[in-house]
Amino acid sequence: MKPEVYIDADACPVRDEVFRVAERLGLIVHVVSNGARGIRLPEVDWVKRVIVSEGADIADDWIAEHIAEHDVCVTADIPLASRCLAKGARALKHNGTVWTTDNIGGALAGRAVAEHLRSTGATTRGPAPMQGSDKSRFLSALETELQAAIRAKESPPVSLWRPIEW
């Protein structure tokens, strides 16, 4: 069984890149959005359109509920990435940043600080605009994460337990 890919699609600038890699690897891609924008998708059976109702975090909730261990989520949403990691899935941002258990805590804390500052009227910097190098970094990270997920999903778990022989 192969991993599946979940795209938090409403603001994802790298859908086409995901489609190309997923097609080559024979993976299913779930494109999750609230349907507010007309997202054009390839008409193939391995791309699954998921339209959820409008509302804050509805698409995130759907992804977090359906993603499984070793699946891969493409999202810029830090709390969603954290929820995916908690389920044993992998997560990466459209600029090639790979979310891990080592960096997600700091990202969540930074997000909380920025939210607090905005609530007090301060202006915070939004995400940097997408650069050409971001797409190549994303493609490299996506390939690495998907290959690792495929290996992990296809190999049986290794048990270190051995009976003691007397």
Side-chain angles (χ1 to χ4, degrees), residues 60-113:
D60 298 354
D61 292 343
W62 191 94
I63 292 170
E65 183 179 318
H66 290 86
I67 200 163
E69 185 177 25
H70 306 302
D71 288 343
V72 176
C73 180
V74 177
T75 185
D77 187 277
I78 298 167
L80 173 57
S82 179
R83 292 168 71 185
C84 292
L85 293 174
K87 290 189 77 174
R90 297 165 182 271
L92 68 153
K93 193 173 172 180
H94 61 268
N95 67 358
T97 299
V98 176
W99 298 115
T100 68
T101 54
D102 291 336
N103 67 11
I104 199 71
L108 285 167
R111 182 179 185 274
V113 168

Side-chain angles (χ1 to χ4, degrees), residues 4-70:
E4 297 184 7
V5 181
Y6 292 78
I7 301 176
D8 185 7
D10 283 325
C12 181
V14 291
R15 286 186 298 269
D16 292 337
E17 288 77 6
V18 174
F19 298 149
R20 282 199 315 267
V21 175
E23 180 179 31
R24 182 172 45 78
L25 297 175
L27 305 177
I28 292 174
V29 178
H30 303 273
V31 181
V32 185
S33 70
N34 66 13
R37 294 186 197 114
I39 297 173
R40 293 179 48 106
L41 302 178
E43 293 184 25
V44 293
D45 62 347
W46 51 269
V47 173
K48 311 293 184 189
R49 181 186 301 268
V50 179
I51 298 177
V52 298
S53 59
E54 290 191 38
D57 301 326
I58 303 296
D60 298 354
D61 292 343
W62 191 94
I63 292 170
E65 183 179 318
H66 290 86
I67 200 163
E69 185 177 25
H70 306 302

Side-chain angles (χ1 to χ4, degrees), residues 133-163:
S133 60
D134 290 335
K135 282 197 179 182
S136 62
R137 191 170 37 258
F138 171 78
L139 280 168
S140 177
L142 179 65
E143 183 74 31
T144 300
E145 291 302 301
L146 287 174
Q147 292 293 347
I150 289 168
R151 284 191 305 275
K153 197 127 183 177
E154 291 179 345
S155 62
V158 176
S159 173
L160 299 177
W161 182 85
R162 299 281 185 257

